[in-house]
Amino acid sequence: MKGRHFTPQDAELLEAILQNRRDIRGNRFHSKPISDPDLERILLAGIHAPSVGFSQPWEFVLVTDRQTRQKVKNSFDSENSKASEHFSGERQSNYQELKLEGILESPLNIAVFYRPSGGAVLGQTAMEEVGRYSVVCAIQNMWLMSRSLNIGMGWVSILNPDAVREILLVPQDRELVGYLCLGYVDEFYSQPELERLQWEKRKSLQSVVYSEQFPSSP
């Protein structure tokens, strides 16, 4: 076989990075800026993600300005207040106690946008949404590279996409896929935070994998 080969030790290291990736909240970030070499490696990881038809439909806006981030935080606060109404009783009380973003605490925010091609894209003609999935792959690459550099990253999804686009002066045809908070941290938990807080449990492999077809409905 030609091409680069990796060792079992390489595979074990990748597995460790995957299993120790965490969604980092604001109570863990340091204010120290991310170094330029580290930031470049994270962004390069993003643009080396797989994309449908090699369309590479991603664009990134780096946000460090405090006033700009405060505007985004205001959008989060508004949407988060609405989100809590979807839960009731103890679940709602627990939700209100969760720290779900680090927009102001992290030294760097990155808004990741999907840019539609405007024409036919190889592999995207039957499933138009796979263009957005390509952008998600870029974010995952960035997340894993960040973790390998011991840099925390959190994905904020409780935002108004239109508000974020307006704040960042982004063209109307772009779609917000992810708003990321990045920075050095004081700790990486051994478990996902929502698992530690007993909000959800990790599903077992056996509960989500089927052979040949879905089992018959009960």
Side-chain angles (χ1 to χ4, degrees):
M1 289 177 60
K2 296 182 179 180
R4 180 167 178 175
H5 289 241
F6 296 96
T7 67
Q9 291 75 25
D10 294 328
E12 289 176 5
L13 178 58
L14 175 58
E15 184 177 41
I17 294 169
L18 288 165
Q19 293 184 357
N20 286 278
R21 181 207 55 79
R22 296 290 175 263
D23 188 13
I24 304 298
R25 316 300 170 79
N27 50 358
R28 301 267 69 92
F29 285 114
H30 293 311
S31 59
K32 174 185 174 183
I34 296 175
S35 70
D36 289 341
D38 283 350
L39 177 56
E40 182 176 12
R41 294 182 77 178
I42 292 167
L43 292 170
L44 283 172
I47 68 171
H48 280 85
S51 65
V52 60
F54 202 47
S55 57
Q56 305 162 79
W58 39 64
E59 292 181 327
F60 310 89
V61 180
L62 310 184
V63 185
T64 58
D65 180 77
R66 177 81 181 188
Q67 291 183 339
T68 302
R69 288 186 288 140
Q70 183 62 64
K71 292 176 182 178
V72 177
K73 176 64 160 59
N74 293 344
S75 173
F76 168 84
D77 289 340
S78 175
E79 295 301 321
N80 194 45
S81 178
K82 299 174 190 176
S84 67
E85 298 173 1
H86 291 272
F87 306 96
S88 60
E90 183 179 358
R91 193 76 161 173
Q92 185 179 71
S93 298
N94 291 341
Y95 180 91
Q96 293 171 343
E97 294 177 359
L98 294 173
K99 175 65 172 172
L100 297 175
E101 49 76 38
I103 296 168
L104 297 178
E105 296 89 345
S106 61
L108 173 66
N109 296 178
I110 302 179
V112 187
F113 290 89
Y114 166 58
R115 180 177 183 175
S117 69
V121 175
L122 188 156
Q124 196 173 342
T125 52
M127 296 177 63
E128 193 273 336
E129 64 272 20
V130 295
R132 297 172 185 84
Y133 298 165
S134 300
V135 181
V136 174
C137 289
I139 292 173
Q140 176 74 335
N141 271 18
M142 295 167 70
W143 219 335
L144 296 175
M145 178 57 75
S146 296
R147 185 62 185 91
S148 76
L149 297 170
N150 298 311
I151 291 172
M153 180 177 132
W155 184 335
V156 184
S157 59
I158 309 172
L159 291 169
N160 182 320
D162 293 332
V164 174
R165 190 171 55 229
E166 182 177 345
I167 292 166
L168 301 181
L169 304 179
V170 176
Q172 287 291 319
D173 66 330
R174 277 35 165 208
E175 296 181 26
L176 180 69
V177 174
Y179 194 88
L180 316 176
C181 303
L182 292 94
Y184 302 106
V185 299
D186 60 2
E187 180 181 7
F188 286 99
Y189 289 138
S190 59
Q191 291 177 289
E193 190 165 357
L194 292 180
E195 184 177 21
R196 291 179 66 252
L197 297 174
Q198 300 182 349
W199 181 265
E200 293 288 357
K201 295 181 180 179
R202 185 179 295 281
K203 295 179 180 179
S204 68
L205 189 63
Q206 293 76 16
S207 70
V208 296
V209 178
Y210 310 111
S211 179
E212 305 297 344
Q213 60 186 28
F214 267 79
S216 301
S217 300

